[in-house]
Amino acid sequence: MTQTLDRPGSEVADRVEAWVSAFQDALSARDVGAAVSLFADECYWRDLVSFTWNIATVEGTDEVADLLTSVLDRIDPTNFAVDGEPSSADGVDESWLTFETAVGRGTGHVRLRDGKAWTLLTTLDELKGHEENKGDRRPFGTEHGANPDRVTWKESREQEAEELGYSRQPEVVIIGGGQGGIALSARLRQLGVPTIVVERNERPGDSWRKRYKSLALHDPVWYDHLPYIPFPENWPVFAPKDKIGDWLEMYTRVMEINYWGSTTAESATFDENEGRWTVTVHRDRGNGPEEVVLRPAQLVFAMGVSGKPNKPEFPGMEAFRGEIQHSSEHPGPAGYEGKKIVVIGSNNSAFDICGAAWEAGADITMVQRSSTHIIKSDTLMELALGGLYSEEAVANGITTRTADLTFASLPYRIMADFQRPAYDEAKVRDKEFYDQLREAGFDLDFGDDESGLFMKYLRRGSGYYIDVGAAQLVADGKVKLVKGQVKEFTSDGVTLDDGTHLEADLVVLATGYRSMITSVADIIGEEMATRVGKVWGLGSDTTKDPGPWEGEQRNMWKPTQQRNLWFHGGNLHQSRHYSLYLALQLKARQEGIDTPVYKLAESHHTE
Ligand SMILES: Cc1cc2nc3c(=O)[nH]c(=O)nc-3n(C[C@H](O)[C@H](O)[C@H](O)COP(=O)(O)OP(=O)(O)OC[C@H]3O[C@@H](n4cnc5c(N)ncnc54)[C@H](O)[C@@H]3O)c2cc1C
């Protein structure tokens, strides 16, 4: 963060030092009252695993008191200290912190207003005695000297591949080998947790390769790094999907991930007494699928937050003479030059598909069913992401870790307030563009509370387009726009509820995806899925994110209502960042470290 000091630096440092030392004193004395008195009336403490063995935010002094009363003795926090130079802006002092707990080391971040904590972030970095073998602990890689029984690295990898899942059971099975499953597995490997990734597709990266031809990442490179191996300096800002696919395949190999491609998970049941899962998969090693039964202690679903297509059924679909594809099945517009394509939907995939179809010379109509948030890609990069994730941020010394933790330090309850100014500015900066779209009849929004793209993503994972050019085609009428709901299909097209009929050779249902729990239910059964509940959303009571307020992403990266069942995923940034905290929770359980969960979230909703 680039912040100007509005008072001499030493005064800021003194204020922060005074707070930190009073906080540590109160914690050491187990004096909850004294600790709570260091928080402002409006305060938020977000903890990633270090105090709560959960991902949880407490809000207000009563909740802070409850947290401390519950965990203080067993967590035994020590050595809270200021890390680096505190800063101050707009009456808010900020500082990075380090601290220890009984079992781990952590990083913190505090914002003080009038000397009291407004926001506090605490995160677990590593478990004592189970640190990753990196830096001066890096593995030697070979054995110098003479050894007639020498086993090479290749031989030991081959042996591991033969044994794991057959004569030796993994600690963790991850179902889904997209970038989420791969990143988590890389972390677990470094922590020495035997893991198998089960993936239906043949090769790592296929989930990207199989998406429509024109797709490139919508997020820029600085936001997208995977753990351990950042993209090189000459990596494109927006990586094409097949290039990401190849990177994931390379990554899987060099990170020594036990990746079972061409393997579909069919069912999973949990034995509460034994504390182990029975996971039945069908694995094809080239001779047709064979059934393999895996018995891991922990089961992680990484089947994609955008994993299960939402394919609405409309009357008359069977009579339609053309082709119907969900956006996830749409390969691209080849063969449809001069033909009529109707795209149902007006979010990211719909725009990408319309853009590519227009370039290919198709006659294309977009059907907008509800309002969409659109933000130009360069505006988003400059106003919303640039401070933390950009070449400029890199030049300012902001590492990916610092950026991720800074982002994590903002509690979800007040995040919208931090986001809104960027979108207010975008409205002014891109006024002409937005006016053109409105004139073309496009129904625009900036989220229920005008807080823009990222809040929509966190709340509902849908409802937006990061514009890389296709919006102008709609504004210019080159992609025709119709508004309404599909009533039915006919033999030659689609009829909307107002009677409008659209002829079509191809109808693309860019109708989004369903909560991960719906695909997981096929594997764990309805009863367990209902108990676990919806995956994703904050409970903000905004469109498609029903309450009650949870203040964290439902069921993501944290303990769920089913013991030993976890969810992982999200965009590349979330996958990189939260894979650490999920990996540490899994490692702690492997090592038998006591992990009492504070405030296990109740389950809400199934969709
Ligand atoms: C069109 C589109 C554009 C996107 N653009 C971006 C972007 O620019 N940046 C970004 O960060 N995110 C983007 N996303 C979000 C994207 O979904 C995620 O970033 C990424 O794919 C999530 O990775 P994942 O591993 O969680 O899920 P996925 O990539 O969906 O992987 C889940 C995997 O689970 C496998 N699977 C499912 N069921 C089973 C089973 N029963 N057995 C075995 N395997 C199974 C699937 O085959 C799949 O490979 C985009 C999504 C879409 C649809």
Side-chain angles (χ1 to χ4, degrees), residues 175-181 198-201 206-208 211-212 215-219 223-224 259 263-266 302-307 349 352 513 523 568-573:
I175 301 179
Q179 45 97 355
V198 169
E199 168 56 49
R200 195 166 48 190
N201 289 320
D206 278 355
S207 63
W208 283 102
R211 289 176 177 155
Y212 50 84
L215 178 64
L217 288 189
H218 292 110
D219 297 324
Y223 193 69
D224 296 336
Y259 195 90
T263 305
T264 301
E266 305 289 351
M303 282 163 52
V305 172
S306 311
S349 297
D352 276 358
Y513 296 84
I523 296 173
H568 179 61
N571 63 27
L572 284 149
H573 152 251

Side-chain angles (χ1 to χ4, degrees), residues 442-457:
F442 196 85
D443 202 356
L444 279 172
D445 73 62
F446 280 79
D448 286 12
D449 54 1
E450 306 294 304
S451 57
L453 178 111
F454 202 71
M455 293 315 297
K456 265 198 156 183
Y457 171 71

Side-chain angles (χ1 to χ4, degrees), residues 420-431:
R420 208 171 288 111
Y423 295 89
D424 288 346
E425 202 175 328
K427 287 175 196 170
V428 176
R429 176 181 152 143
D430 297 326
K431 182 176 181 317

